[in-house]
């Protein structure tokens, strides 16, 4: 029963976090939660608009810049030590290519909605760094 409860809580947390990501204009859910794991990436509205009107070659170039953004974002968040998400590369069907994405595994039963919201808030602060802004301005 205890393990069942932990698994169910992880699944519920992943669904909650996926909903937060869907509702946040600056992020894009790249995979639906599978049990307690999901992936997403930073992709603000201007970039989403650029992607929607881009040719395949332009889309690939934009995604390559977003890969760099996600790498810098994850590295900076890890080094800050407040919150943590990992990153991975996976094929995203919507773009037909492999992308660098942020990966979250929700297994701690003490994780609250406030903690999940703080992860996204911290990421929004991190992307204001000049190095990341310079990449975003190339899009």
């Amino acid at each position: 029963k205890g393990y069942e409860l932990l698994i169910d809580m992880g699944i519920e947390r992943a669904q909650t976090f996926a909903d937060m990501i869907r509702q946040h204009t600056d992020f894009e859910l790249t995979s639906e939660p599978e049990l307690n794991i999901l992936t997403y990436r930073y992709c603000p509205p201007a970039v989403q608009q650029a992607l929607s009107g881009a040719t395949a070659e332009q889309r690939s170039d934009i995604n390559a810049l977003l890969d760099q953004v996600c790498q810098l974002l994850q590295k900076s968040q890890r080094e800050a030590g407040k919150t943590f998400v990992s990153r991975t590369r996976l094929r995203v069907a919507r773009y037909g290519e492999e992308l660098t994405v942020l990966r979250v595994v929700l297994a701690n039963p003490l994780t609250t909605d406030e903690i999940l919201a703080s992860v996204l808030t911290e990421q929004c602060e991190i992307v204001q760094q000049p190095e990341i802004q310079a990449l975003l301005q190339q899009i």
Side-chain angles (χ1 to χ4, degrees):
K1 283 283 188 199
Y3 287 119
E4 180 181 352
L5 179 63
L6 289 173
I7 291 168
D8 288 346
M9 288 175 71
I11 292 169
E12 182 181 317
R13 288 280 119 225
Q15 288 293 339
T16 298
F17 197 48
D19 289 341
M20 288 179 175
I21 292 164
R22 281 187 203 96
Q23 293 170 14
H24 200 296
T25 58
D26 289 337
F27 293 94
E28 173 185 44
L29 192 67
T30 53
S31 69
E32 290 295 325
E34 291 187 29
L35 296 176
N36 63 337
I37 300 171
L38 62 93
T39 64
Y40 66 104
R41 69 180 180 166
Y42 182 77
C43 188
V47 176
Q48 292 174 34
Q49 186 175 2
L51 282 166
S52 70
T55 65
E57 184 178 338
Q58 290 168 329
R59 204 168 34 247
S60 182
D61 291 343
I62 292 168
N63 282 326
L65 288 168
L66 283 176
D67 284 354
Q68 292 177 56
V69 168
C70 279
Q71 290 166 13
L72 290 170
L73 169 57
Q74 188 273 336
K75 181 181 177 195
S76 181
Q77 190 170 26
R78 181 189 70 227
E79 289 172 354
K82 294 179 197 170
T83 61
F84 175 76
V85 299
S86 61
R87 72 175 185 250
T88 190
R89 290 195 49 85
L90 64 91
R91 185 172 235 5
V92 177
R94 157 178 358 150
Y95 300 111
E97 60 184 302
E98 194 171 278
L99 306 175
T100 299
V101 296
L102 302 168
R103 179 178 179 267
V104 176
V105 179
L106 293 158
N108 186 335
L110 301 178
T111 301
T112 63
D113 289 357
E114 292 76 25
I115 291 170
L116 296 175
S118 73
V119 170
L120 297 179
T121 298
E122 183 181 13
Q123 290 174 341
C124 287
E125 292 167 0
I126 290 169
V127 298
Q128 299 308 312
Q129 295 174 356
E131 185 178 8
I132 294 175
Q133 285 298 303
L135 288 169
L136 292 170
Q137 289 173 4
Q138 293 178 44
I139 298 174

